[in-house]
Amino acid sequence: MVFDIKDIQKQLSAVPLVSPYPHDLSVAIICDVFRVAGLRPPSRADWAGLEHASKAAGLWKEQVGMLAHVLTSSTLGEDSSQALRKDADPRVLLALFFTRVEPLTAEMVRSNAFRQEEFLRKWVHAVQGQVKGETAMESDARLKKLDYRAALKEMERAEEARRREADKRLKELQEAEKRAADARGWRE
């Protein structure tokens, strides 16, 4: 199944921002996508396991709500039902998806076009769909470019490098001050 990410984003931008769906409604919406595809949706115990496996349960609930929102506010839900293979395991698919989008908050997805595109692309990847007008390699490259988790890691590496450089300069300055003080001591 081919997904038109740009069109889905256009559809989402036309929908007014709504209050987050209650968690139970969000779960039901996602389960309906699997039912329409002819798959057995995850049980309540499966959902509890997914939440337990999440590193941040509050963030996970936001992501469940955001997924339900994009599935109902665009053609993504219908397209996803068509894309899902009959041998797909909804629990594995959802675990993969929620693991991959873990750092994204609902607000980031709502208010930032790049984070929204990343969220949508990760869902398309989870349901084994294709992005319209892109080869699989191009889609993977775009997803890597958008990956917020990678951006966070890069920012942390840059911050650590900056901190090491500042420590090095401070040490050099302290050594220079010590040498200057020692030189004054010899002259006095």
Side-chain angles (χ1 to χ4, degrees), residues 166-178:
D167 290 346
K168 179 182 171 187
R169 288 183 185 185
L170 178 62
K171 187 176 179 181
E172 289 171 352
L173 180 63
Q174 289 171 340
E175 288 173 2
E177 287 175 350
K178 185 178 184 307

Side-chain angles (χ1 to χ4, degrees), residues 2 25 29 42 53 65 68 76-77 80 83-84 89 99 105-106 115 122 125 129 132 138 144 153 160 162 187:
V2 177
L25 175 60
I29 289 168
L76 187 65
S80 296
L84 286 164
D89 184 340
T99 298
T105 64
R115 300 294 68 92
K122 286 182 177 181
H125 185 267
K132 182 180 178 182
E138 290 170 333
K144 283 180 185 174
K153 286 180 183 175
E160 180 58 32
R162 187 204 60 78
R187 284 180 288 204

Side-chain angles (χ1 to χ4, degrees), residues 20-29 47 51 57 60-62 64-65 68:
Y21 294 146
H23 183 69
D24 289 341
L25 175 60
S26 299
V27 168
I29 289 168
W47 282 99
E51 182 176 7
W60 179 79
K61 286 186 177 187
E62 281 186 39
V64 170

